[in-house]
Amino acid sequence: MSHPRVLCLGEMLVDCLRDVAAGGGTLEAWTHQPGGAPANVACALARLGTAAGFIGAIGADEAGEMLRARLRDRGVETSMLAEVAAPTRHVFVERDAAGDRRFVGFGASNRTADFESANFADAQLDATALKAAAIVRADWLVTGTLGLAQPDVATAIERAIGMAKQSMTSVFVDVNWRSVFWQDFAGLDRFGDPETPRDRILRFIAKADWLKFSDDDARYLLDTDDVGDIAERFPGARGVIVTRGDRGCAYRVGNPEDNLAGEYPAFDVKTIDTTGAGDSFVAALLHRFCAASDAIDIDDIETDPEALRAAIEFASMAGALTTQKVGAIAAQPELEEIHTALDRHASDSRH
């Protein structure tokens, strides 16, 4: 396998899902699916044919072995995947008839439990496990913001970004806000003053080359989901994307005068499970970036409005197709599926 073009750093865990009947009635049994946004992105990239690696920690337990096997089966490079003496985190989520999710709690194995978040394996990534050579060789380093709540993971993320900044490796941050991950947080800023979760996230994401928010997360953290306002707030970012579920997405790259901004509507699909749709979006977009850098006849996506919009369309279709099946990783589409769906959409639009 060639060295990873994209390295994804952060959590890998088990999503435990069950459906809630209308009105909150009878519940089905929990079903277990591999998950965790950075791991989802790595698996989706590998499925699309872009060499990807995952950096994180799993437990030395049955669930951890299942997660390792899923990465291996997808062809994700795992030399920086650590195994630690802590339980693999299970995230319990209920899903309603529209496919929307509600967090229930953390746990290990088949049950929720009163664990502090720091006691799970994904919170115990050791920064010394990072391999500078791999990060420097990569085109992209992808991470989120959930790990910032845990000191060990936060240190690893900061160190990895420092390594990326010393090379030509671009940093893509998928901003996630989940309050439950921050329940045990007691942070200080660099001057020793108390720091809120929002403070830490906003300080961190200013280092990103590309930023992706959901509209909900953007409104919570920034009091706006306007992509132009967000881009102005983070001038160091080359690109900003705000995904809006069934309202599509908005994007801006570069400065306003570059004419690289717009909105893309959502594809009309029958949604079963929204888990991992945003992660498939990120992976598909990065796949297009990697493909563009290899092909002489493909315009630079960061400078050509049509190429950028085509990449956003491709990513949007990947996200839409993911919602039509259950599970973040299991539902990820293959490259041919995305192209076939886009061709069908184009044909339908002409008639």
Side-chain angles (χ1 to χ4, degrees):
M1 176 180 174
S2 61
H3 68 81
R5 302 285 300 277
V6 183
L7 287 171
C8 303
L9 190 164
E11 67 278 0
M12 189 174 197
L13 38 79
V14 179
D15 286 328
C16 302
L17 307 172
R18 66 180 178 185
D19 291 326
V20 182
T26 303
L27 299 176
E28 297 182 359
W30 295 108
T31 60
H32 292 185
Q33 297 283 348
N40 294 344
V41 173
C43 287
L45 279 160
R47 190 167 192 132
L48 294 174
T50 293
F54 176 70
I55 308 170
I58 54 174
D61 51 22
E62 183 178 350
E65 181 53 38
M66 180 269 288
L67 297 179
R68 184 188 296 275
R70 180 53 59 95
L71 292 171
R72 183 174 57 243
D73 292 345
R74 278 291 175 90
V76 175
E77 201 273 338
T78 58
S79 66
M80 287 182 278
L81 175 64
E83 184 175 281
V84 299
T88 299
R89 189 192 304 265
H90 290 57
V91 180
F92 291 82
V93 178
E94 293 177 348
R95 184 177 54 221
D96 65 20
D100 292 323
R101 300 160 293 159
R102 182 181 73 86
F103 175 82
V104 176
F106 293 141
S109 187
N110 293 316
R111 61 184 179 83
T112 57
D114 187 21
F115 280 84
E116 289 188 5
S117 190
N119 291 337
F120 290 103
D122 59 280
Q124 299 182 27
L125 175 63
D126 188 343
T128 61
L130 300 174
K131 297 180 179 179
I135 294 173
V136 169
R137 284 199 303 265
D139 296 330
W140 293 87
L141 175 68
V142 180
T143 191
T145 53
L146 298 184
L148 299 177
Q150 304 301 331
D152 290 347
V153 183
T155 298
I157 292 174
E158 295 278 3
R159 186 171 297 181
I161 288 181
M163 294 173 181
K165 293 295 185 180
Q166 294 175 9
S167 66
M168 298 296 291
T169 304
S170 296
V171 176
F172 191 111
V173 176
D174 185 2
V175 182
N176 300 107
W177 169 252
R178 303 289 183 272
S179 61
V180 69
F181 278 84
W182 295 84
Q183 288 180 349
D184 305 321
F185 177 74
L188 299 175
D189 67 12
R190 58 183 176 175
F191 303 109
D193 295 325
E195 184 177 42
T196 68
R198 184 181 298 185
D199 292 336
R200 174 162 289 190
I201 291 172
L202 296 182
R203 176 169 57 82
F204 168 73
I205 64 179
K207 303 174 182 180
D209 297 301
W210 275 74
L211 285 166
K212 175 197 160 289
F213 296 81
S214 72
D215 52 354
D216 288 339
D217 291 343
R219 286 193 296 268
Y220 176 80
L221 293 167
L222 302 170
D223 298 318
T224 180
D225 63 359
D226 183 273
V227 72
D229 291 345
I230 297 171
E232 292 296 325
R233 183 161 180 173
F234 297 98
R238 301 198 303 267
V240 176
I241 300 169
V242 178
T243 55
R244 298 170 173 169
D246 59 6
R247 297 186 296 118
C249 68
Y251 58 92
R252 198 184 97 174
V253 178
N255 299 313
E257 59 269 20
D258 295 331
N259 193 31
L260 287 163
E263 298 185 3
Y264 199 89
F267 291 101
D268 185 14
V269 298
K270 179 175 175 55
T271 296
I272 295 175
D273 182 8
T274 60
T275 306
D279 304 326
S280 289
F281 180 103
V282 171
L285 183 66
L286 292 175
H287 171 77
R288 288 298 292 259
F289 271 109
C290 290
S293 66
D294 285 340
I296 297 174
D297 60 342
I298 298 179
D299 291 319
D300 186 346
I301 295 174
E302 291 192 27
T303 60
D304 183 86
E306 292 185 8
L308 174 62
R309 189 167 180 82
I312 294 292
E313 178 184 55
F314 181 83
S316 298
M317 181 59 80
L321 292 175
T322 301
T323 70
Q324 296 186 290
K325 299 177 184 177
V326 174
I329 294 175
Q332 292 166 348
E334 296 183 350
L335 188 61
E336 185 176 347
E337 290 180 74
I338 300 174
H339 286 306
T340 297
L342 287 172
D343 290 343
R344 183 168 58 247
H345 174 74
S347 176
D348 292 344
S349 298
R350 290 192 295 267
H351 295 89

